[in-house]
């Protein structure tokens, strides 16, 4: 019975995480598009600037490029995690748990990596409001994804004991 009580919690967290991961991926996609459109323009003489970085983002600092790239990867993997989690919540059995749990853990670790890079970006300063929004979502997602993982795994542990 207790495993069934965690199902609404897991469903709510799954929906919240999916929406937030899509927003993180969208903001990261915007940042990459902005960087491509407003990046370095190399003239006919092909001379690179003195401190050229292939991951250059004009709207942030030196950590922005890495933070955005890992945020996009975390957003895409997190969205895929939500799709596997949706299937698990539909079935809610031990056979669908390993795939949902493993991809959720991978998404969580990528989110933690992106969050760490976002902390470095915050430390260096000089970022716009969209990047601040993405950083805040990554911090929130690192917690909610962890609680989601605990909810689906705890429910399966309780279910196994009642058999």
């Amino acid at each position: 019975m207790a495993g069934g009580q965690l199902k609404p919690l897991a469903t709510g967290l799954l929906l919240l995480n999916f929406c937030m991961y899509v927003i993180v991926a969208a903001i990261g996609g915007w940042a990459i598009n902005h960087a491509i459109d407003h990046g370095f323009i190399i003239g006919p003489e092909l001379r690179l600037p003195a401190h050229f970085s292939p991951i250059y983002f004009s709207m942030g600092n030196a950590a922005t490029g890495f933070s955005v790239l890992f945020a996009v990867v975390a957003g895409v993997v997190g969205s895929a995690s939500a799709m596997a989690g949706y299937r698990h919540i539909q079935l809610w059995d031990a056979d669908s748990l390993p795939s949902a749990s493993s991809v959720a853990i991978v998404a969580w670790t990528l989110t933690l990596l992106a969050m760490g890079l976002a902390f470095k970006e915050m430390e260096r300063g000089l970022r716009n409001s969209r990047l601040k929004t993405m950083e805040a979502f990554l911090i929130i997602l690192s917690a909610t994804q962890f609680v989601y993982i605990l909810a689906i795994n705890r429910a399966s542990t309780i279910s196994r004991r009642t058999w």
Side-chain angles (χ1 to χ4, degrees), residues 39-74:
F40 289 120
I41 299 172
I42 301 172
E45 64 273 357
L46 296 176
R47 291 179 43 219
L48 294 175
H51 299 288
F52 176 72
S53 172
I55 305 175
Y56 172 74
F57 285 75
S58 60
M59 76 289 245
N61 54 46
T64 301
F66 297 104
S67 177
V68 167
L69 289 177
F70 279 101
V72 169
V73 171

Side-chain angles (χ1 to χ4, degrees), residues 14-151:
L14 184 71
L15 181 62
L16 174 69
N17 288 350
F18 178 72
C19 293
M20 290 180 70
Y21 274 125
V22 168
I23 291 169
V24 164
I27 294 172
W30 166 83
I32 291 173
N33 185 44
H34 186 274
I36 290 170
D37 289 345
H38 299 96
F40 289 120
I41 299 172
I42 301 172
E45 64 273 357
L46 296 176
R47 291 179 43 219
L48 294 175
H51 299 288
F52 176 72
S53 172
I55 305 175
Y56 172 74
F57 285 75
S58 60
M59 76 289 245
N61 54 46
T64 301
F66 297 104
S67 177
V68 167
L69 289 177
F70 279 101
V72 169
V73 171
V76 170
V77 174
S79 298
S81 155
M83 291 175 199
Y86 176 72
R87 183 70 178 150
H88 171 63
I89 287 176
Q90 278 183 330
L91 300 174
W92 202 251
D93 62 358
D95 293 335
S96 63
L97 176 67
S99 61
S101 182
S102 61
V103 74
I105 290 170
V106 170
W108 179 60
T109 55
L110 287 170
T111 304
L112 288 177
L113 179 61
M115 183 189 69
L117 290 166
F119 283 154
K120 184 65 175 179
E121 184 181 18
M122 285 185 250
E123 176 189 322
R124 303 212 31 140
L126 297 174
R127 56 204 201 282
N128 65 19
S129 62
R130 290 181 183 149
L131 293 176
K132 290 178 184 178
T133 303
M134 187 176 71
E135 294 160 0
F137 275 34
L138 286 170
I139 293 167
I140 295 167
L141 274 168
S142 67
T144 58
Q145 184 73 6
F146 181 68
V147 173
Y148 166 73
I149 292 168
L150 290 178

